[in-house]
């Protein structure tokens, strides 16, 4: 007997079983049997079930059902009895018995109560999970029976990560996975499976609410801050870049100059993010200040700090007393900058630090479009900074035509294309016309035209502007193309006559000196005449 006090229900069950054991005779009860239908009862928590006890004994007594559950007779007859059990909340055993020919027959059956888990919950996930680090998923399962048929499954989306049996009334199932980039935005959940298919029922599933994971990658290196070490002017542009971010769309960038947050634009490209900001400052803020760039992702921040020294470097300012001056006017050129700036002006003498440079000139036409340059130099903290500017002078002078581009005499052939290259200079630019003095025929200037015989003659080229006029004469001679043929023929005739005369001279002069002459035989006295050659060298006799 167990020691200690037992609950009333337990004492009653114990007494009932002892009585049944005492009533049952030892050995075999013969050839008859008593059976339950159905066997291995499975009932939902708090549910009801109908059972039937029957025997093959032809002379059995009424069949009895022994149970602590509320029961109700559904009917009985010879060799059978039906009962309804209700409010089944715990696993229990029921006993059916009868007497057959003085012997007691009995059989028992187990009732299994099944219930779904009261709670299936996936523990909260980290707000951000670093890529490449282990993530522990924890699923809490409370309740559910029978526990031997209950399984806990951890899921990533539809992918099964772990499957473990539920142990104990409250079960916590853990699984560790490696966080990946592709897990960003993925849903994780856990579910339970109550498998009662071996008991003739189905597979019952309960699932937790899904939880979304956010993964991130943030390099350990700080962002790259591009900003000049020394800044001269009233504005400063800073660029802050960090590569290797994931997801770059979730990264936040902040740029600050001292305690002033700068308005900036952000450009994201792949795994890179770049922030650009422009800051303005005044001369009163001159000095060294700190620019800070910070990139935040997944609750972590990377930061870079740089010092920038601001200097005021105004100018140089270059002025002309007159931007457009008539020829012969005195023009003053002045270049000035700040008190710590050294300026130099082309053509002007050197000046002291902080003093303006000045130049005066009496303008001529060669000064037209002349450009004056002023250079400014500022030395700060061992660095030399340079700035420069320029200005152009315009000199007003009257028109002029260069004889080099406009020859005094031109000789052209009839029916040929020619260009009159005369050019006029002056400021303002003069208008140039070349007109025949007699016929007033105007010749195009600077463009090709067909030359004919009527273009021959003297032309007056006139350049005119608001500053005056300038004249130049050009004599144009147009040669007829037929006169050239006649001249060629005359030259050929003259050449032919010269050739003929030369031949005759040779025949009648040179030949006569070298031939033999004979005396008329009628003469009473004759002597042989021979030609005489010049004396030969070496004393040879003439032939």
């Amino acid at each position: 007997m167990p020691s200690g006090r037992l609950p009333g229900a337990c004492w009653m069950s114990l007494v009932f079983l002892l009585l049944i054991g005492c009533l049952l005779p030892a050995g075999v009860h013969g050839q008859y049997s008593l059976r339950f239908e159905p066997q291995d009862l499975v009932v939902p928590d708090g549910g009801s079930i109908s059972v039937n006890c029957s025997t093959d004994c032809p002379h059995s007594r009424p069949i009895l059902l022994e149970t602590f559950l509320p029961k109700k007779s559904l009917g009985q007859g010879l060799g059978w009895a039906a009962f309804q059990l209700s409010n089944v909340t715990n696993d229990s055993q029921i006993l059916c018995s009868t007497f057959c020919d003085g012997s007691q027959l009995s059989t028992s059956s187990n009732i299994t109560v099944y219930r779904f888990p009261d709670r299936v919950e996936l523990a909260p996930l980290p707000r951000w999970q670093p890529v490449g680090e282990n993530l522990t998923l924890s699923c809490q399962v409370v309740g559910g029976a029978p526990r031997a048929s209950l399984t806990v499954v951890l899921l990533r989306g539809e992918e099964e990560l772990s499957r473990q049996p539920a142990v104990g009334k409250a079960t916590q199932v853990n699984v560790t996975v490696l966080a990946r980039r592709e897990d960003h935005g993925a849903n994780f959940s856990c579910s339970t499976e109550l498998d009662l298919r071996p008991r003739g029922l189905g597979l019952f599933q309960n699932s937790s609410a899904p939880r979304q994971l956010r993964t991130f990658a943030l390099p350990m290196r700080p962002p790259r801050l591009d900003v000049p070490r020394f800044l001269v002017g009233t504005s400063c542009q800073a660029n802050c870049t960090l590569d290797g971010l994931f997801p770059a769309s979730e990264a936040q960038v902040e740029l600050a100059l001292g305690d002033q947050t700068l308005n900036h634009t952000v450009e994201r490209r792949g795994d890179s993010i770049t922030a650009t900001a422009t800051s303005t400052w005044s001369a009163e803020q001159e000095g060294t200040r700190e620019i800070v760039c910070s990139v935040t992702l997944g609750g972590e921040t990377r930061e870079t700090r740089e010092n920038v020294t601001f200097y005021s470097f105004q100018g140089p300012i270059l002025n002309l007393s007159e931007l457009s001056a008539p020829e012969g006017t005195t023009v003053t050129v002045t270049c000035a900058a700040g008190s710590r700036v050294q300026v130099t002006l082309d053509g002007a003498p050197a000046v002291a630090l902080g003093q303006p440079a000045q130049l005066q000139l009496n303008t001529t036409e060669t000064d037209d479009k002349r450009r004056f340059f002023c250079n400014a130099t500022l030395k700060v903290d061992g660095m030399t900074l340079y700035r420069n500017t320029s200005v152009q002078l315009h000199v007003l002078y009257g028109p002029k035509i260069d004889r080099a581009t406009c020859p005094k005499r031109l000789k052209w052939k009839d029916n040929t294309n020619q260009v009159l290259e005369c050019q006029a200079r002056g400021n303002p630019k003069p208008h140039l016309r070349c007109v025949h003095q007699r016929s007033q025929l105007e010749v195009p200037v600077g463009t090709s035209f067909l030359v004919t015989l009527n273009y021959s003659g003297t032309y007056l080229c006139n350049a005119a502007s608001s500053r005056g006029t300038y004249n130049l004469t050009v004599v144009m001679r147009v040669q007829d193309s037929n006169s050239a043929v006649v001249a060629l023929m005359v030259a050929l005739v003259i050449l032919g006559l010269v050739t003929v005369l030369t031949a005759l001279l040779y025949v009648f002069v040179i030949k006569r000196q070298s031939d033999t002459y004979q005396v008329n035989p009628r003469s009473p006295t004759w002597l042989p005449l021979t030609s005489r050659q010049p004396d030969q060298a070496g004393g040879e006799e003439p032939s």
Side-chain angles (χ1 to χ4, degrees), residues 118-136:
D118 299 325
R119 181 164 58 92
V120 179
E121 183 180 2
L122 182 66
L125 300 177
R127 186 172 180 271
W128 286 97
Q129 174 65 28
V131 171
E133 294 187 10
N134 288 331
L135 169 67
T136 299

Side-chain angles (χ1 to χ4, degrees), residues 216-258:
F216 77 99
L218 182 63
M220 295 302 297
R221 64 180 178 277
R224 183 176 68 254
L225 181 57
D226 295 327
V227 64
R229 179 184 170 192
F230 296 96
L231 189 64
V232 180
T234 59
S235 64
C236 168
Q237 179 170 306
N239 295 311
C240 181
T241 303
L242 185 60
D243 302 323
L245 293 169
F246 174 82
S249 59
E250 299 283 347
Q252 301 297 321
V253 185
E254 182 176 315
L255 281 165
L257 177 61

Side-chain angles (χ1 to χ4, degrees), residues 230 232 311-313 340-342 353 376-386:
F230 296 96
V232 180
Y311 288 94
S312 177
F313 189 1
R340 296 187 301 169
V341 181
Q342 179 72 57
L353 182 69
T377 305
L378 174 64
K379 294 183 178 181
V380 288
D381 292 347
M383 289 187 61
T384 303
L385 307 175
Y386 301 93

